Amino acid sequence: LQPSLLGAVASVTSDSLDASLSDNVTNYDLSVGRTIDADSVVEILLPTTDLIWDKFSNRIFASIPNVNSPHKNNLLSFDPMSGVFDEPIPVGQDPSKLAISSDGSFIYSGLEGEAAIQRVNKAARIADKKFPTLRNTIFDLEVMPGNPSNVVGMAYLSPDVVVYADGQILPGIVTPGSY
């Protein structure tokens, strides 16, 4: 766990009467990197646009949108059994829908702020390839089984289904009524 990567805030307020309540509150950062009992439920207050499970690393990946958060525009991964968070992965403006390749090598994220798809090399933990979508931001995203470089996307406000091979659009876009 990185110090103050994510923390909880506790507030303490004095019971004594005071005309100025604003000086009666103190905030403390509390570490969340601890062992969690198997039958426990822990709530993490973190704005996300999508979550995916990575069976290869036993981690949950979350896309953190462009909101008032120290981790905005990043992917965060964490071990749900220990609560330990890994270093954030910067991906671009307003990450949204996530998909993971069947071999676990890549994670793809739609980028709402850029009308693009960002590929993340999971082993290197870096965003390695970004490519534009045809029209708009990504509504749905899936990686083709057995082919980690091919991703299928469907954009908001567009009925088209587009296949990208290593970032390049393949011919044969599927539109309603064309199949």
Side-chain angles (χ1 to χ4, degrees), residues 108-139:
Y108 291 84
S109 174
L111 298 176
E112 289 191 15
E114 300 179 41
I117 297 172
Q118 177 68 65
R119 185 176 77 181
V120 173
N121 180 315
K122 202 182 76 177
R125 297 188 59 79
I126 59 167
D128 69 351
K129 184 176 285 255
K130 185 186 301 183
F131 45 96
T133 60
L134 278 180
R135 292 182 177 83
N136 212 324
T137 57
I138 293 298
F139 171 71

Side-chain angles (χ1 to χ4, degrees), residues 19-178:
S20 175
L21 295 178
S22 64
D23 64 354
N24 291 344
V25 177
T26 303
N27 293 323
Y28 298 98
D29 287 332
L30 306 173
S31 173
V32 296
R34 59 182 169 77
T35 303
I36 300 168
D37 294 333
D39 61 348
S40 296
V41 174
V42 175
E43 181 178 0
I44 301 170
L45 299 177
L46 184 67
T48 64
T49 48
D50 202 13
L51 299 169
I52 57 168
W53 170 250
D54 176 17
K55 66 182 179 182
F56 299 98
S57 66
N58 292 320
R59 295 253 185 292
I60 294 174
F61 280 79
S63 54
I64 311 302
N66 189 20
V67 295
N68 188 16
S69 166
H71 308 294
K72 67 183 176 182
N73 299 321
N74 285 289
L75 292 187
L76 283 180
S77 59
F78 64 95
D79 179 344
M81 295 307 294
S82 69
V84 174
F85 280 77
D86 302 314
E87 284 291 320
I89 304 170
V91 292
Q93 189 70 26
D94 228 0
S96 58
K97 186 67 179 166
L98 298 174
I100 190 166
S101 60
S102 60
D103 67 355
S105 60
F106 296 119
I107 295 174
Y108 291 84
S109 174
L111 298 176
E112 289 191 15
E114 300 179 41
I117 297 172
Q118 177 68 65
R119 185 176 77 181
V120 173
N121 180 315
K122 202 182 76 177
R125 297 188 59 79
I126 59 167
D128 69 351
K129 184 176 285 255
K130 185 186 301 183
F131 45 96
T133 60
L134 278 180
R135 292 182 177 83
N136 212 324
T137 57
I138 293 298
F139 171 71
D140 201 5
L141 193 62
E142 293 296 331
V143 183
M144 293 180 116
N147 196 338
S149 294
N150 285 11
V151 65
V152 178
M154 184 173 170
Y156 286 111
L157 305 175
S158 170
D160 298 344
V161 176
V162 182
V163 179
Y164 301 87
D166 205 31
Q168 301 298 314
I169 297 174
L170 293 179
I173 295 170
V174 178
T175 58
S178 67

